[in-house]
Amino acid sequence: WEIEPFDKGEDNFYDAEFQCSIDNVTVGAKHAVGFYFHMKRVHNVYMYTYFGPCMLMVITSWISFTVNYDAVPGRLGLLLTLLLMMINLNNSVSSTIPKSSNVTPITIWIVGSITFVFLALLEYAI
């Protein structure tokens, strides 16, 4: 009885968040019963799904500084819409990332971005 080795080309699994592969277990020159399961988190998903749009929303909030001070509906519409979008993004992140007892970097990034948009709104109020 002989164990046939896995073909690495067929034993790779790809997901939006993970890249998984299976390797044979070898002991010296002989194959053993079992396998290794390698998982690697793909970080690009978070970059273009959360970090990028969040950064663009903060940059868009800076446009409010160029809007005339007397244009109340324009400034408030822009800033309140961005603030609500950031809160929605934060809720989306909280429901999709794995649960952790620690604060995650993506949460810190989004809360910091919400703070910047809120400060732009507060600057108009003062």
Side-chain angles (χ1 to χ4, degrees), residues 105-122:
I106 193 167
T107 306
I108 294 170
W109 178 270
I110 291 177
V111 169
S113 299
I114 289 172
T115 304
F116 282 126
V117 174
F118 179 75
L119 289 174
L121 185 62
L122 189 66

Side-chain angles (χ1 to χ4, degrees), residues 12-104:
N12 291 331
F13 305 101
Y14 296 100
D15 186 26
E17 291 186 57
F18 297 104
Q19 176 183 0
C20 306
S21 63
I22 298 174
D23 290 331
N24 286 325
V25 176
T26 56
V27 179
K30 297 183 178 183
H31 289 285
V33 176
F35 61 90
Y36 291 115
F37 190 72
H38 303 282
M39 291 185 73
K40 178 182 170 189
R41 184 175 295 267
V42 179
H43 297 287
N44 292 342
V45 174
Y46 296 107
M47 292 303 220
Y48 66 80
T49 305
Y50 299 117
F51 285 104
C54 191
M55 181 178 61
L56 289 175
M57 284 186 241
V58 171
I59 292 170
T60 304
S61 74
W62 297 342
I63 294 173
S64 71
F65 297 125
T66 63
V67 175
N68 189 4
Y69 188 78
D70 297 328
V72 176
R75 279 185 102 167
L76 285 180
L78 174 68
L79 291 174
L80 286 176
T81 302
L82 287 171
L83 185 65
L84 291 173
M85 287 171 59
M86 297 289 285
I87 291 170
N88 188 22
L89 185 66
N90 187 33
N91 292 339
S92 173
V93 166
S94 297
S95 66
T96 57
I97 64 172
K99 302 299 179 204
S100 173
S101 61
N102 299 328
V103 179
T104 58

Side-chain angles (χ1 to χ4, degrees), residues 2-8 10-11 22-26 31:
E2 187 176 321
I3 299 173
E4 293 186 30
F6 289 116
D7 180 20
K8 285 190 172 191
E10 296 176 7
D11 298 319
I22 298 174
D23 290 331
N24 286 325
V25 176
T26 56
H31 289 285

